[in-house]
Amino acid sequence: MLQWLFVLTVGTLVGCAGNPNQLPDNLQTCLPAQDRPSCFYIEASQQEHQKLLIFVHGVFGSVATTWGSPQKPSFWPAMVATDPRFVDYDLYLINYRTPYIGQAPNIHEIASNELGRILSRKIFDRYDEIYIIAHSMGGLIAKSILTQLQGQNVTQLRQIKGVVFLSTPAQGADLAPLVAWFSLNPQLGNMERASLNAYIASLEDQWIQLLENRNKSNAEFPQAYCAYETLRTGAVFVVPRELASSRCDGPFHPMPFNHFGMAEPTRSDDDPYLWVMAKILDAGTSTVIRRRAEKLLQSAEKLMIAGDQIGARQTFNESRALYRSINDRIGLSHVLVGLAQLEQLLGHNDQARNAYMEAQTIVKGEGNRRGEAVVLIGLGNV
């Protein structure tokens, strides 16, 4: 009975291997295989790309089994490779030893080794933006990599813009101690419930501290998003909501899949691919900076209404600098209109006129007729 339960349990965490899709020769440098080391699935020639997406599988999985069948178009990395929104991303597949029965490195050792590989490949020198998709125990490995970076190189940590955790057992997994009874794999012991497991409790504490340090330093990255399974795998929830609970940015997202389905997309316009890849885009530098610039613009407008002209001018200028850094011309035109209104309130009509005219040049160039009307009204008032 116990042997049958072990087979059933590990069977919920793995899939079927297959032959990989063929990508163009100039892009494909890594064929998904269960026993090969971590490598690039897509690596643009002559370093054309400055963005990198990393996949991290879970316990008993591999790059050839976790993300769908490599022989099908629905293999997750293959779907990203053909998604026009991600044409400027390279893809990197983390793969590590995680046998059903037998010795293996623990989670901390895996993370240290994979971080060493990443550093040896000069990935932080090559990519300005790095994103991670992690499934199950892969999320613990990702957290360990990031918390190690927190203590080693915060600049490199900030280059990791976003992490998506899919059914990561942040508080442990109930099945782990049962399967550990049969297996010599120490990764299972690392995933016992946090109330009985000093390792996973400490890792979660370090993760929370990482996000606290990010917020205290007014940094934006890394952004973190979490999703959990709402369907059973066989008769059990492998990682139910309460065990997936962790510190994340935004709501804790339910997914209508079992543990296995959380990492197996079927189409690009449906979950899990739809939600996860939207979060990767949300975590992007331009999106985050734009959100911050919008908040500053709103604050500047409130300060202006409240009569704090000095604070309003400073905040308008901060917002303008951010919009310029991401070449958001429409956002920049909104700031210029706000500055023009401020100059007009102060009786500086020449400065107000100049700001309106600069905004007019932008909105006309962008074909923004509504924006042009707003600017013309402002000019008329001046």
Side-chain angles (χ1 to χ4, degrees), residues 179-239:
V179 181
W181 195 82
F182 297 93
S183 176
L184 297 176
N185 188 335
Q187 298 154 18
L188 297 163
N190 289 162
M191 289 191 291
E192 292 188 17
R193 268 186 176 262
S195 58
L196 303 172
N197 182 355
Y199 171 75
I200 205 168
S202 175
L203 179 61
E204 186 63 14
D205 287 345
Q206 292 174 58
W207 172 249
I208 292 172
Q209 189 61 55
L210 183 152
L211 295 183
E212 290 288 339
N213 291 343
R214 179 199 69 180
N215 295 340
K216 288 178 182 177
S217 61
N218 293 319
E220 301 288 347
F221 306 108
Q223 295 283 301
Y225 306 98
C226 301
Y228 65 96
E229 65 211 53
T230 60
L231 299 182
R232 289 181 172 85
T233 303
V236 299
F237 285 105
V238 177
V239 184

Side-chain angles (χ1 to χ4, degrees), residues 97-99 102-107 109-110 184-187:
R97 178 174 171 78
T98 175
Q103 295 183 346
N106 61 38
I107 292 174
E109 291 167 338
I110 293 169
L184 297 176
N185 188 335
Q187 298 154 18

Side-chain angles (χ1 to χ4, degrees), residues 9-164:
T9 301
V10 299
T12 66
L13 301 176
V14 298
C16 299
N19 296 322
N21 287 322
Q22 292 299 312
L23 296 172
D25 291 338
N26 65 327
L27 289 181
Q28 183 166 286
T29 59
C30 169
L31 300 178
Q34 194 156 2
D35 59 349
R36 74 170 299 151
S38 303
C39 57
F40 283 92
Y41 181 70
I42 287 179
E43 185 179 17
S45 60
Q46 299 178 350
Q47 192 49 35
E48 297 173 352
H49 299 164
Q50 280 73 51
K51 299 178 183 179
L52 179 68
L53 179 58
I54 299 175
F55 290 83
V56 193
H57 67 77
V59 67
F60 303 141
S62 74
V63 296
T65 60
T66 295
W67 309 108
S69 174
Q71 67 183 358
K72 296 181 179 179
S74 58
F75 180 58
W76 199 318
M79 290 178 68
V80 177
T82 57
D83 190 327
R85 298 173 299 171
F86 300 97
V87 293
D88 56 343
Y89 286 69
D90 282 353
L91 306 181
Y92 184 78
L93 309 180
I94 284 183
N95 207 31
Y96 55 88
R97 178 174 171 78
T98 175
Y100 305 139
I101 299 176
Q103 295 183 346
N106 61 38
I107 292 174
H108 176 77
E109 291 167 338
I110 293 169
S112 299
N113 182 63
E114 294 302 329
L115 177 57
R117 288 178 179 272
I118 288 171
L119 294 173
S120 297
R121 289 187 164 105
K122 306 294 184 183
I123 280 178
F124 289 103
D125 296 334
R126 298 173 56 190
Y127 297 97
D128 299 325
E129 300 182 22
I130 301 171
Y131 304 86
I132 299 173
I133 299 174
H135 176 247
S136 192
M137 189 185 79
L140 301 180
I141 293 170
K143 285 183 176 180
S144 183
I145 289 174
L146 268 62
T147 55
Q148 289 182 50
L149 279 176
Q150 170 77 24
Q152 296 174 16
N153 193 318
V154 175
T155 300
Q156 292 177 341
L157 174 65
R158 299 287 177 250
Q159 288 176 245
I160 298 177
K161 305 304 181 183
V163 188
V164 180

Side-chain angles (χ1 to χ4, degrees), residues 331-344:
L332 181 58
S333 72
H334 293 160
V335 175
L336 289 168
V337 168
L339 280 168
Q341 292 170 345
L342 176 61
E343 299 292 1
Q344 192 173 355

Side-chain angles (χ1 to χ4, degrees), residues 4 11 15 30 67 69-71 74 86 111 116 149 165 189 201 234 257 270 278 297 308 316 328 345 362-363 380:
W4 175 86
C30 169
W67 309 108
S69 174
Q71 67 183 358
S74 58
F86 300 97
L149 279 176
F165 298 102
F257 302 104
D270 197 5
L297 179 57
D308 184 357
F316 274 129
D328 187 331
L345 283 173
I362 292 174
V363 294

Side-chain angles (χ1 to χ4, degrees), residues 310-350:
I310 295 175
R313 185 186 301 280
Q314 179 179 346
T315 310
F316 274 129
N317 286 332
E318 290 176 6
S319 179
R320 177 166 59 177
L322 289 177
Y323 279 124
R324 281 179 171 166
S325 72
I326 58 173
N327 197 30
D328 187 331
R329 291 174 59 76
I330 295 300
L332 181 58
S333 72
H334 293 160
V335 175
L336 289 168
V337 168
L339 280 168
Q341 292 170 345
L342 176 61
E343 299 292 1
Q344 192 173 355
L345 283 173
L346 295 172
H348 303 158
N349 287 345
D350 287 342

